[in-house]
Amino acid sequence: SQQGEEDPQALSIQEGENATMNCSYKTSINNLQWYRQNSGRGLVHLILIRSNEREKHSGRLRVTLDTSKKSSSLLITASRAADTASYFCATGLLTQGGSEKLVFGKGTKLTVNP
Amino acid sequence: DGGITQSPKYLFRKEGQNVTLSCEQNLNHDAMYWYRQDPGQGLRLIYYSQIVNDFQKGDIAEGYSVSREKKESFPLTVTSAQKNPTAFYLCASSPKGGTSPLHFGNGTRLTVT
């Protein structure tokens, strides 16, 4: 089963609107990260939130983390056509063997219409 | 500028042939990773290396092999034993591994027919 799952799978909005994407996970985490991927390109790290943090901001991005609900949300405010991309959450967790591991979800495909 | 270079961007091979994907980084990062991405799917970890001359299997290592002879380089060989090799392959690095943020290359799209 998937550790991190994004919701919705796809989101289409108009330029200027806000976009909210959610990520749910199953096990305890060290941190949760959000990445962006433009079509046919590599992923770009956006923001990291630690398990003892509740909210973090970076420019037009706002990330929240609710460890009691095992969920996170990524809010992009005042969206632009250039924000069109897929967005992935990645959960950082400790394995049973004691090593650390980053597990990616399947992503939310965001389309911002001009 | 520092970064990760993957080459080639597109690669075509016949079934039964081994193929090697290149990944080079000049970020002076200790850890390097190979992921596979299929359409509509998340990233799945193939192999990773925390230090030169050492590497570990990820979740889907069967049919793949790697080497880490230099800090800057982490090539991935897709062998003929990989049953479904057509995919988008992404190389990444991080300063110290673990759950620290990853820097990605721009990927190699491999098509095997």
Side-chain angles (χ1 to χ4, degrees):
Chain A
S1 62
Q2 197 77 12
Q3 160 66 353
E5 292 198 17
E6 292 90 343
D7 170 62
Q9 290 186 337
L11 180 61
S12 182
I13 60 174
Q14 295 299 121
E15 209 164 22
E17 293 180 340
N18 295 342
T20 299
M21 288 157 271
N22 303 295
C23 173
S24 59
Y25 57 92
K26 298 185 191 307
T27 63
S28 296
I29 60 171
N30 289 343
N31 62 59
L32 188 143
Q33 302 173 33
W34 285 92
Y35 290 79
R36 165 198 170 120
Q37 183 181 34
N38 287 76
S39 182
R41 309 276 287 185
L43 279 71
V44 174
H45 179 258
L46 295 175
I47 198 163
L48 178 151
I49 187 165
R50 292 185 171 78
S51 59
N52 60 354
E53 296 175 313
R54 292 297 167 258
E55 189 169 312
K56 210 159 180 182
H57 296 254
S58 177
R60 293 184 296 114
L61 305 181
R62 173 179 168 249
V63 168
T64 61
L65 179 65
D66 186 335
T67 52
S68 66
K69 295 181 179 177
K70 292 186 169 57
S71 68
S72 173
S73 67
L74 170 67
L75 169 67
I76 304 174
T77 60
S79 63
R80 306 165 182 168
D83 293 327
T84 294
S86 292
Y87 292 82
F88 293 86
C89 72
T91 47
L93 48 94
L94 277 175
T95 68
Q96 286 184 334
S99 62
E100 293 182 317
K101 187 176 180 178
L102 203 55
V103 179
F104 286 83
K106 293 184 179 181
T108 292
K109 188 168 184 176
L110 173 66
T111 303
V112 181
N113 302 298
Chain B
D1 279 339
I4 298 180
T5 301
Q6 289 188 243
S7 60
K9 189 170 176 62
Y10 299 96
L11 194 51
F12 298 88
R13 279 295 182 269
K14 295 289 187 185
E15 199 172 310
Q17 293 179 335
N18 291 355
V19 60
T20 297
L21 282 60
S22 169
C23 178
E24 302 278 332
Q25 56 103 353
N26 60 5
L27 299 165
N28 200 32
H29 286 174
D30 286 328
M32 296 187 75
Y33 305 79
W34 275 105
Y35 288 91
R36 171 183 171 135
Q37 187 177 31
D38 295 283
Q41 300 294 313
L43 276 63
R44 291 185 290 169
L45 182 63
I46 304 172
Y47 267 100
Y48 64 102
S49 168
Q50 305 267 45
I51 196 168
V52 174
N53 292 323
D54 189 41
F55 48 82
Q56 286 79 41
K57 292 181 179 180
D59 301 315
I60 56 164
E62 186 175 347
Y64 300 97
S65 66
V66 293
S67 62
R68 186 90 186 274
E69 296 176 1
K70 297 187 301 182
K71 188 174 186 177
E72 302 80 17
S73 179
F74 191 40
L76 173 74
T77 297
V78 184
T79 75
S80 56
Q82 168 49 234
K83 297 195 185 324
N84 187 17
T86 294
F88 189 49
Y89 291 88
L90 287 159
C91 179
S93 71
S94 71
K96 57 180 178 65
T99 57
S100 53
L102 299 177
H103 297 250
F104 282 86
N106 277 324
T108 292
R109 189 168 298 280
L110 173 65
T111 302
V112 177
T113 57

